Amino acid sequence: MSMTWDDVGTAEVLLGFSPTPAVRRGAREEPALARIALIAVAFAFLTLFLFVPLVAVFTEALRKGWSAYITAILEPDAWSAIKLTLLAAAIAVPLNLVFGVAAAWAIAKFEFRGKSVLITLIDLPFSVSPVIAGLIYVLIFGLQGWMGHWLSDHDIRIVFAVPGIVLATIFVTFPFVARELIPLMEAQGNEEEEAAVVLGANGWQVFRRVTLPNIKWGLLYGVILCNARAMGEFGAVSVVSGHVRGQTNTMPLHVEILYNEYNFAAAFAVASLLALLALVTLVLKTLVEWQVNRQLKGNENEH
Amino acid sequence: MKSLFLRQHSVLPGFGLALGFTSLYLSTIVLIPLSAAFIKTAVLSWEQFWSIVTASRVVASYELTFGASLLAATINAAYGLVVAWVLVRYRFPGKRVIDALVDMPFALPTAVAGIALTAIYAPNGWIGRILLRWGIKVAFTPLGVLVALVFIGLPFVVRTVQPVLEDLEADLEEAAATLGADRWQTFTRVIFPTVMPALLTGFALAFARAVGEYGSVIFIAGNMPMVSEITPLIIITKLEQYDYTGATAVAVVMLIVSFLLLLLINCLQWLSRRREAAA
């Protein structure tokens, strides 16, 4: 495949529409100089704000060599932070997955009062500052909070302990799966499910055999994004964590502690694991996106 | 419950269960905890509340948070439009990789972004060193806050504008060209008005995200009171001093702003959908 800077308007090619070359050039294209300038501007912007920071994470992580890098990651506190991060994500993601499917089922398959209000409320956690997400759980479960006395009488710790971290993680990743599934299930309509019901399938069978195969890629897409945010959340978790090294520190919090101790190489070593996670997330996301588009195109061709 | 809410009868099962679970989960995780902030603040008299949320240090933090967010969202709107345009219209090597990388700020944990940006823009960093020669300090100044906010808001405008550019009909531009418009006229009179609602939505999303951002900012900001201290940090500082009421009062101000922004975004999206339907 030859890579050229010259782009023939793709829509015209697809439509088999070919006006005279002079009109075509002028109609959908800028002069070559403008094109190169625009690409250069886009590149410069992305380089400054995206590529350089990404490269910096890995360069700084390896500044003191591979052995220091490995030591920083295998250190017990780092290890327990990794485990806590995985645990929080392992609880938060499945819960939000179940919620997302239930919400999308109600919203996409039925017409009911207050639907648009419900959709707005589901999006709410995205517009709340992570710091406030942490704060509200402190207000309820903290010592001065609504349930503080009762909890301390029963020796239950939620805030400044693992349950608080899990709750804060659930809050910040709340909308991801629902948000992905609602438009997808709305686009697919009810006909297939209705046919299955008429043929005698029960609710679970309809969901497993008809709905799930249709939404599996969209579902996976939501889960990938939800997981990335769950593992990377900083602000909300920071408020409810209590920052006990080796106990209530997630990976991002561990990065902060190391950084504040001027242990930069170790901080960037742990950060590089999170950056790798982000890169893997992007690769998976791109692959899944491709599948979703293929499925949507397939659906269009069927109808 | 069914007869109360359903507008239309459906043969599909599970409405009651799905809506019931959705409402319960939403209330437990989001609505009841959020209402706690408002109830907590209600114990304050109006004068007490007002004096907390208008203390000079808090006001300085609003100015920085909202000012830097507005500026960052504007920068993102301008450059995001260029990036979206380049990704949709031109072919160049590495295009698909770059397209995927645009989502990086969504996937990269904010703390990682924060320390990476600080390392680069610090006086001895790769870019900070060059800028220092011109006398520009980025890290540990309000400018650092701006850099972090541009980073985290970067994907919003690109991702809202991209699909609209992809769906743009070729005949509109061709008609404009046939009628004698040059490329710049076609862009300002034909393409830009079509893209405008999406651009505004992306701008509002980037702004809303920037206002609440904490993780990427605190490393690079320097966090000097009255100078480079953002509002979310004020909340954290008050919490660390066990001033729960004070923290909550400032949080309520931010929540109200967030709700208003959410309302605005919904209106914008509704408007652009209506436009689409009309076209």
Side-chain angles (χ1 to χ4, degrees):
Chain A
M1 196 177 111
S2 69
M3 296 282 194
T4 61
W5 297 87
D6 198 302
D7 183 26
V8 181
T10 41
E12 286 138 72
V13 175
L14 289 173
L15 294 169
F17 179 71
S18 54
T20 58
V23 173
R24 194 175 66 187
R25 276 212 79 78
R28 295 209 81 195
E29 273 181 25
E30 293 72 50
L33 208 64
R35 256 181 294 156
I36 292 169
L38 282 173
I39 292 176
V41 168
F43 252 95
F45 178 66
L46 292 176
T47 306
L48 216 58
F49 285 98
L50 274 189
F51 308 144
V52 176
L54 195 60
V55 174
V57 173
F58 294 101
T59 320
E60 295 288 330
L62 292 170
R63 179 153 283 186
K64 289 190 179 159
W66 277 100
S67 66
Y69 180 83
I70 305 280
T71 319
I73 287 168
L74 292 183
E75 189 234 351
D77 286 346
W79 211 204
S80 80
I82 293 173
K83 276 191 280 193
L84 182 56
T85 296
L86 292 176
L87 175 74
I91 299 171
V93 175
L95 280 175
N96 284 337
L97 169 69
V98 172
F99 159 74
V101 171
W105 182 266
I107 288 168
K109 302 289 178 191
F110 300 92
E111 288 304 322
F112 57 91
R113 267 178 211 113
K115 189 164 161 172
S116 53
V117 176
L118 184 63
I119 296 175
T120 308
L121 289 178
I122 288 175
D123 266 353
L124 205 56
F126 275 163
S127 52
V128 171
S129 171
V131 169
I132 296 174
L135 168 76
I136 56 178
Y137 291 112
V138 175
L139 291 181
I140 292 182
F141 300 113
L143 260 184
Q144 298 183 21
W146 289 354
M147 297 178 64
H149 272 293
W150 188 86
L151 289 172
S152 70
D153 287 346
H154 292 76
D155 213 21
I156 304 171
R157 286 190 73 113
I158 293 190
V159 185
F160 310 128
V162 176
I165 292 176
V166 173
L167 271 175
T169 308
I170 293 176
F171 184 98
V172 293
T173 57
F174 187 88
F176 279 103
V177 178
R179 227 190 172 174
E180 215 46 63
L181 287 185
I182 293 167
L184 184 65
M185 277 165 76
E186 270 175 347
Q188 281 167 345
N190 289 358
E191 289 142 31
E192 290 180 41
E193 280 89 352
E194 279 163 2
V197 170
V198 171
L199 292 173
N202 66 29
W204 177 243
Q205 285 171 324
V206 172
F207 177 73
R208 260 220 49 203
R209 306 271 178 82
V210 180
T211 310
L212 198 58
N214 279 334
I215 60 167
K216 63 179 179 211
W217 291 112
L219 196 73
L220 191 61
Y221 188 85
V223 166
I224 292 167
L225 295 183
C226 184
N227 181 62
R229 183 70 198 268
M231 292 191 172
E233 179 51 30
F234 177 76
V237 170
S238 166
V239 175
V240 293
S241 129
H243 305 272
V244 183
R245 258 187 117 126
Q247 282 178 38
T248 60
N249 266 343
T250 60
M251 286 168 80
L253 297 177
H254 190 60
V255 169
E256 185 199 19
I257 288 196
L258 292 171
Y259 190 85
N260 287 342
E261 287 170 349
Y262 300 100
N263 194 348
F264 295 134
F268 277 101
V270 180
S272 75
L273 291 183
L274 289 167
L276 276 180
L277 171 80
L279 285 174
V280 170
T281 300
L282 291 186
V283 171
L284 288 177
K285 186 182 151 295
T286 311
L287 291 177
V288 171
E289 232 160 27
W290 190 63
Q291 288 286 351
V292 172
N293 285 337
R294 223 177 52 162
Q295 202 167 28
L296 279 178
K297 282 205 185 100
N299 283 350
E300 269 165 32
N301 291 341
E302 272 171 36
H303 291 298
Chain B
M1 186 143 130
K2 262 189 187 170
S3 55
L4 202 66
F5 288 104
L6 268 188
R7 282 170 188 270
Q8 229 171 54
H9 179 72
S10 169
V11 295
L12 295 182
F15 174 69
L17 181 68
L19 188 64
F21 177 72
T22 302
S23 320
L24 182 74
Y25 191 74
L26 179 70
S27 309
T28 319
I29 300 287
V30 181
L31 300 182
I32 295 173
L34 274 180
S35 66
F38 289 93
I39 293 167
K40 177 90 182 167
T41 310
V43 304
L44 292 171
S45 72
W46 176 251
E47 286 78 28
Q48 283 171 313
F49 176 77
W50 192 249
S51 78
I52 293 172
V53 301
T54 55
S56 60
R57 187 168 161 191
V58 181
V59 171
S61 85
Y62 299 144
E63 281 168 11
L64 174 65
T65 303
F66 292 109
S69 299
L70 208 59
L71 204 54
T74 310
I75 293 172
N76 274 325
Y79 285 95
L81 181 61
V82 175
V83 171
W85 180 267
V86 164
L87 286 175
V88 171
R89 288 297 176 94
Y90 305 146
R91 240 187 276 162
F92 51 89
K95 173 170 155 169
R96 295 185 74 166
V97 178
I98 289 173
D99 195 357
L101 277 175
V102 165
D103 280 331
M104 194 54 164
F106 285 158
L108 194 71
T110 50
V112 178
I115 63 170
L117 289 170
T118 312
I120 301 164
Y121 288 93
N124 58 353
W126 293 342
I127 298 175
R129 203 179 308 162
I130 302 169
L131 290 174
L132 196 63
R133 246 181 269 160
W134 306 65
I136 305 169
K137 269 196 195 165
V138 179
F140 319 121
T141 71
L143 207 56
V145 178
L146 182 67
V147 167
L149 295 183
V150 169
F151 173 84
I152 54 128
L154 196 150
F156 288 101
V157 172
V158 181
R159 290 305 184 225
T160 46
V161 170
Q162 230 174 349
V164 179
L165 281 179
E166 270 161 9
D167 289 347
L168 216 60
E169 300 289 342
D171 24 347
L172 273 180
E173 288 169 58
E174 270 148 17
T178 315
L179 293 172
D182 64 30
R183 200 56 197 147
W184 178 245
Q185 284 170 323
T186 309
F187 180 78
T188 50
R189 306 263 178 89
V190 178
I191 300 171
F192 193 72
T194 321
V195 173
M196 196 59 193
L199 191 68
L200 270 177
T201 307
F203 173 85
L205 285 170
F207 179 68
R209 173 73 207 268
V211 165
E213 179 58 18
Y214 175 71
S216 57
V217 176
I218 52 154
F219 294 98
I220 200 170
N223 306 327
M224 276 206 316
M226 306 297 293
V227 178
S228 59
E229 192 180 38
I230 55 166
T231 312
L233 183 66
I234 295 260
I235 297 176
I236 296 259
T237 313
K238 284 184 185 289
L239 267 181
E240 279 168 358
Q241 293 161 351
Y242 300 102
D243 177 10
Y244 286 35
T245 344
T248 313
V250 178
V252 162
V253 172
M254 289 204 78
L255 277 176
I256 291 170
V257 174
S258 304
F259 293 159
L260 290 177
L261 280 171
L262 189 68
L263 206 67
L264 177 77
I265 292 165
N266 277 344
C267 284
L268 283 170
Q269 274 165 347
W270 178 77
L271 272 178
S272 65
R273 259 200 299 273
R274 215 179 55 162
R275 260 179 100 123
E276 245 168 62

